[in-house]
Amino acid sequence: MKVEKLAPRTIAYFSMEVALESPLPTYSGGLGVLAGDTLRSAADLGLSMVGVTLLYRKGYFSQQLDEEGRQHEEPAAWPIDQFLHLTDGTCQVEVEGRQVTVRAWQYLITGVSGTVVPVLLLDTDLPCNDPYDRTLTNYLYGGDQRYRLCQEVILGVGGVRILRVMGYTRVFRFHMNEGHAALLALELLAEALKQTPQQAEDAIDQVKRLCVFTTHTPLPAGHDQFPLDLAQRILDADHWKALQTLTQPLSCCNGSLNMTCVGLHLSNYVNGVTKRHGEVSRTMFPNLPIDSITNGVHSATWTAPAFRALYDRYTPDWREDSFCLRYALGIPLDAIRQAHDEAKQLLIREVNRTANAAFDQHTFTIGFARRATSYKRPDLLFFDPERLRRISVQRGPLQVIFSGKAHPKDEEGKALIQKIFHWAKELAPEVKIAYLPNYDMELGLLLTSGADLWLNTPQPPYEASGTSGMKAAHNGVPSLSVLDGWWLEVLVEGVTGWAIGSRDNGTVVERRDDKDAEELYCKLEDTILPLYYLDPTRWAEVMRFTIALNASFFNTDRMIHEYATHAYRDR
C-alpha cells in the first residue's frame, strides 16, 4: 500500500507493545496501553502518524491462577486474520549473519476526526526464514537476551525498512516509546553514514533531528542492556560500525549495550512521563537535556458506557475535546451517582461470576490492578491485617479487588499474588478479597469504573507515571495514592482524592512500609469510609471534582498537543 499522497509528512511511532483491542494480546500492561491511547488520540486529532510494533502470534501470556494463587502461564494464541490485514510490504533484515524476511500486517485506527492511523505489526513467521527466526515475533517479553535483542533488531531496523517499502518516505519524526525501539536510530545512522562516511558528527546530527525518545522507567534494571559480544554477533556490520561512532552507549553501563543510552544520544528531544519522572531521569542520566510530558489516557476508551452517556448529555463535545470534561462541574450529583451505580453493578457481577466471591453492590469497594511486582507493593494493605479487619467491622464493610500479571520470570511478583490469596482466606468474611486473572483492557475498564476507590501504593520514586488512576478519574473514581508519579501533579487533598505520604518542597519524602501502611489505615478509618457511608452527597462531590479537575487534563489529547508543541515541531 502506497501512502505518499495521503501522508507526505508523517510521524512514525515505534513501541515494543501496543494495546489495540482487548482480545489482541499485543500488550502486557501500561506501556502498551499508553502506546495504543497515543495512536487513538493522534487519529482523533487528525495527526499524520503510523504505528510500528511486532505481531506476537502467541501474545504475552494467558494467566491461570490455582486455589493457592500460584500463577501458571499459557500461550495466548489469537486469530490474527480476523483482526488484521496482511499487506504486501516485506523487507530483509540481517540477524546473526542470516537474512530474515519481515512482512507487515496492518490494523487501522479511525479517529473521531475521520483520520485513519495505520499500525504495522511486523511478522517473521515465513517459510523462507530459519526456524529460530520464525519464532522472533511469537512472544512479547519472552525468551533470553539473545531472543530479545533479535526482536529489537526486527522492530527497529525492520520497522524503518518496512516503512520505506510501504511508501512512508517522508517521515519527519521517529518516536521511540522506550529503549526497545532504539535500534531504529542506529538504522538511520547507518543510512546517514553511507551518504557521508567521513562526517560521523554530521550524520549523528542528521539522525538526532529526526528522533524523539520517551523513557518510562526510573528503575535502572528496567533499561535493556546487552553484552557487547552478543550485540556484535547479532548486529550486521553496518549497524556495528554505526554503534562504534557512539561512545556513550558503550560506556555508560560498564561496557554493555544500553538501549536507553542509544535512544538518548541519538534524539533531539527526550522526555520522561511526569514532572517527577523527568527529575529522576536527569539524575540517572546527568548532563542530558531530559524534558517531561505527563502521560494521559484516551478518554473515550477508558470511560464506562454509563459515563459516556452522561458526558454525551451534559458535555457533548468531550470526545473531540477532552478538556470539555472540566464542565462536569455542572453535572447533577444524582446523575453521577446513578452512572457509578451502573458501572459498579457490572464490576460486581463480573467479580462474582469469575471468583464466586459473593461481593455486595452496596459495600465500599477498593480497586488495585497493575503488574504484580515488588515495588508496586500490592501487599501494603495487609501490613497489619487485624487493623484492616477492625476498620471493616467498625467503620463500615469493605471489599477489595486485585488483578495483574507477574512476569513469568518474576518469582517475587508471583509470591505477592499468593500472599494476597492467603490474606483473602484469613480476612474473610469481615473483609472480602478477590483476585481476578488475566488483567486486560476490558477488565481494566470494569475495575477502574466500578470501584469506589482506586488504591496505588508504589515505593517512591519508582512510579514513573501511573495511568490507572487517570482511567479511574474518567469515571469519577477518586484515588488514595502514594505521592509519586502523576499524583504529585494533581492531588487536591480531600477534593480529588487522598495522599499516602507527604511533600517536601515538591519532592517525595522517603518513607518506610510501616509508616505508609499506618497512613493508609488512618485515611481509610478516619476520612474515607466515614465520608462514603455517612455523607454520600459530599462523596459524590469528590467524584465530580475528580472528573472535572483530573480527567479533563490527564488524557492523551492534551498529551499529544504537548508532543506536537515540544517534540514534533521543526527545530
Side-chain angles (χ1 to χ4, degrees), residues 333-334 337 531-532 534-543:
L333 296 179
D334 286 344
R337 277 196 290 258
L531 185 65
Y532 179 83
L534 302 178
D535 195 348
T537 298
R538 176 73 185 98
W539 184 269
E541 289 176 347
V542 171
M543 294 181 70

Side-chain angles (χ1 to χ4, degrees), residues 109-236:
I109 298 173
T110 303
V112 294
S113 66
T115 298
V116 175
V117 168
V119 183
L120 305 178
L121 296 94
L122 308 185
D123 179 21
T124 62
D125 188 18
L126 288 91
C128 61
N129 286 333
D130 179 87
Y132 178 79
D133 298 330
R134 294 185 68 171
T135 72
L136 292 178
T137 52
N138 276 357
Y139 291 102
L140 172 61
Y141 302 139
D144 55 13
Q145 283 195 309
R146 176 196 177 202
Y147 185 84
R148 286 286 297 274
L149 184 53
C150 289
Q151 280 190 319
E152 295 185 17
V153 172
I154 302 300
L155 176 63
V157 178
V160 172
R161 293 180 182 179
I162 210 79
L163 288 174
R164 306 285 198 233
V165 167
M166 295 183 66
Y168 293 90
T169 57
R170 294 189 62 199
V171 176
F172 75 102
R173 289 294 180 274
F174 290 85
H175 189 157
M176 294 168 271
N177 189 40
E178 260 299 2
H180 317 110
L183 291 182
L184 80 83
L186 213 58
E187 166 71 356
L188 296 176
L189 181 57
E191 289 180 345
L193 287 171
K194 287 180 180 179
Q195 297 172 3
T196 56
Q198 305 304 320
Q199 300 174 344
E201 289 301 319
D202 289 345
I204 291 172
D205 288 342
Q206 177 182 328
V207 172
K208 290 179 69 171
R209 287 194 294 272
L210 292 172
C211 289
V212 172
F213 182 79
T214 299
T215 177
H216 285 266
T217 176
L219 288 165
H223 300 273
D224 276 354
Q225 301 176 39
F226 301 99
L228 285 182
D229 59 345
L230 177 67
Q232 187 171 14
R233 188 167 78 244
I234 290 175
L235 298 179
D236 69 16

Side-chain angles (χ1 to χ4, degrees), residues 216-220 223 273-281 283-284 375-377 456-466 482-486 488 506-511 516:
H216 285 266
T217 176
L219 288 165
H223 300 273
V273 291
T274 58
K275 298 294 185 185
R276 173 63 173 167
H277 179 231
E279 296 170 3
V280 173
S281 297
T283 64
M284 294 176 67
Y375 83 88
K376 299 284 188 180
R377 297 192 297 178
N456 188 36
T457 55
Q459 178 66 55
Y462 301 131
E463 183 82 310
S465 175
V482 167
L483 278 167
D484 200 11
W486 81 295
L488 277 165
T507 61
V508 178
V509 178
E510 294 285 348
R511 291 164 64 95
D516 282 345

Side-chain angles (χ1 to χ4, degrees), residues 492-555:
V492 181
E493 181 73 19
V495 177
T496 60
W498 300 271
I500 300 169
S502 58
R503 304 173 190 259
D504 182 11
N505 297 323
T507 61
V508 178
V509 178
E510 294 285 348
R511 291 164 64 95
R512 304 191 309 265
D513 285 357
D514 59 341
K515 297 293 186 182
D516 282 345
E518 172 65 23
E519 188 152 352
L520 189 164
Y521 294 139
C522 286
K523 289 289 173 72
L524 286 175
E525 187 173 24
D526 300 333
T527 303
I528 295 172
L529 284 168
L531 185 65
Y532 179 83
Y533 281 114
L534 302 178
D535 195 348
T537 298
R538 176 73 185 98
W539 184 269
E541 289 176 347
V542 171
M543 294 181 70
R544 187 164 63 180
F545 277 121
T546 296
I547 299 165
L549 299 182
N550 294 6
S552 67
F553 184 82
F554 291 93
N555 54 73

Side-chain angles (χ1 to χ4, degrees), residues 419-449:
K419 287 179 67 175
I420 293 169
F421 270 70
H422 166 77
W423 289 118
K425 296 173 182 177
E426 291 292 318
L427 289 168
E430 291 87 357
V431 182
K432 295 177 181 177
I433 299 166
Y435 202 108
L436 304 185
N438 284 314
Y439 184 44
D440 60 9
M441 289 179 70
E442 182 179 6
L443 182 54
L445 178 57
L446 282 174
L447 283 162
T448 54
S449 62

Side-chain angles (χ1 to χ4, degrees), residues 251-547:
S251 63
C252 66
C253 287
N254 299 319
S256 63
L257 172 58
N258 184 308
M259 305 304 280
T260 297
C261 287
V262 173
L264 289 172
H265 289 277
L266 284 176
S267 296
N268 196 42
Y269 182 85
V270 178
N271 69 284
V273 291
T274 58
K275 298 294 185 185
R276 173 63 173 167
H277 179 231
E279 296 170 3
V280 173
S281 297
R282 287 189 289 274
T283 64
M284 294 176 67
F285 303 101
N287 304 317
L288 287 174
I290 301 177
D291 200 3
S292 62
I293 293 177
T294 300
N295 282 342
V297 300
H298 185 252
S299 296
T301 297
W302 295 105
T303 300
F307 276 94
R308 289 179 203 159
L310 187 67
Y311 301 154
D312 286 343
R313 179 180 177 186
Y314 288 97
T315 58
D317 295 330
W318 71 281
R319 295 172 191 263
E320 291 79 21
D321 180 5
S322 297
F323 195 54
C324 287
L325 290 172
R326 67 191 182 279
Y327 298 125
L329 290 172
I331 300 177
L333 296 179
D334 286 344
I336 290 176
R337 277 196 290 258
Q338 181 179 348
H340 178 66
D341 286 345
E342 292 179 29
K344 186 175 181 179
Q345 186 176 30
L346 293 175
L347 173 60
I348 298 303
R349 185 185 305 160
E350 177 64 17
V351 172
N352 290 338
R353 183 192 70 82
T354 303
N356 193 26
F359 272 39
D360 182 72
Q361 169 79 15
H362 304 291
T363 296
F364 181 75
T365 302
I366 298 174
F368 185 108
R370 49 191 52 86
R371 180 163 55 94
T373 193
S374 59
Y375 83 88
K376 299 284 188 180
R377 297 192 297 178
D379 58 339
L380 187 68
L381 186 63
F382 309 115
F383 189 87
D384 184 347
E386 291 307 315
R387 173 85 176 271
L388 184 63
R389 192 195 308 270
R390 287 197 306 272
I391 291 172
S392 184
V393 170
Q394 297 174 3
R395 294 299 188 185
L398 60 87
Q399 53 198 17
V400 191
I401 308 170
F402 288 90
S403 191
K405 297 178 179 181
H407 187 277
K409 295 182 180 179
D410 185 356
E411 296 301 327
E412 192 173 2
K414 292 180 181 181
L416 285 170
I417 298 175
Q418 294 179 57
K419 287 179 67 175
I420 293 169
F421 270 70
H422 166 77
W423 289 118
K425 296 173 182 177
E426 291 292 318
L427 289 168
E430 291 87 357
V431 182
K432 295 177 181 177
I433 299 166
Y435 202 108
L436 304 185
N438 284 314
Y439 184 44
D440 60 9
M441 289 179 70
E442 182 179 6
L443 182 54
L445 178 57
L446 282 174
L447 283 162
T448 54
S449 62
D452 295 307
L453 180 75
W454 198 250
L455 181 63
N456 188 36
T457 55
Q459 178 66 55
Y462 301 131
E463 183 82 310
S465 175
T467 53
S468 61
M470 302 176 191
K471 300 175 182 102
H474 276 76
N475 299 282
V477 176
S479 290
L480 170 62
S481 176
V482 167
L483 278 167
D484 200 11
W486 81 295
W487 203 233
L488 277 165
E489 299 176 31
V490 66
L491 173 68
V492 181
E493 181 73 19
V495 177
T496 60
W498 300 271
I500 300 169
S502 58
R503 304 173 190 259
D504 182 11
N505 297 323
T507 61
V508 178
V509 178
E510 294 285 348
R511 291 164 64 95
R512 304 191 309 265
D513 285 357
D514 59 341
K515 297 293 186 182
D516 282 345
E518 172 65 23
E519 188 152 352
L520 189 164
Y521 294 139
C522 286
K523 289 289 173 72
L524 286 175
E525 187 173 24
D526 300 333
T527 303
I528 295 172
L529 284 168
L531 185 65
Y532 179 83
Y533 281 114
L534 302 178
D535 195 348
T537 298
R538 176 73 185 98
W539 184 269
E541 289 176 347
V542 171
M543 294 181 70
R544 187 164 63 180
F545 277 121
T546 296
I547 299 165

Side-chain angles (χ1 to χ4, degrees), residues 52-69:
V52 182
T53 186
L54 300 184
L55 182 66
Y56 306 120
R57 289 179 170 272
K58 298 183 180 180
Y60 185 41
F61 65 86
S62 177
Q63 180 191 48
Q64 311 297 324
L65 299 173
D66 65 20
E67 292 184 355
E68 301 300 319

Side-chain angles (χ1 to χ4, degrees), residues 39-53:
L39 295 165
R40 283 182 276 273
S41 277
D44 287 344
L45 297 172
L47 201 63
S48 180
M49 183 176 281
V50 56
V52 182
T53 186

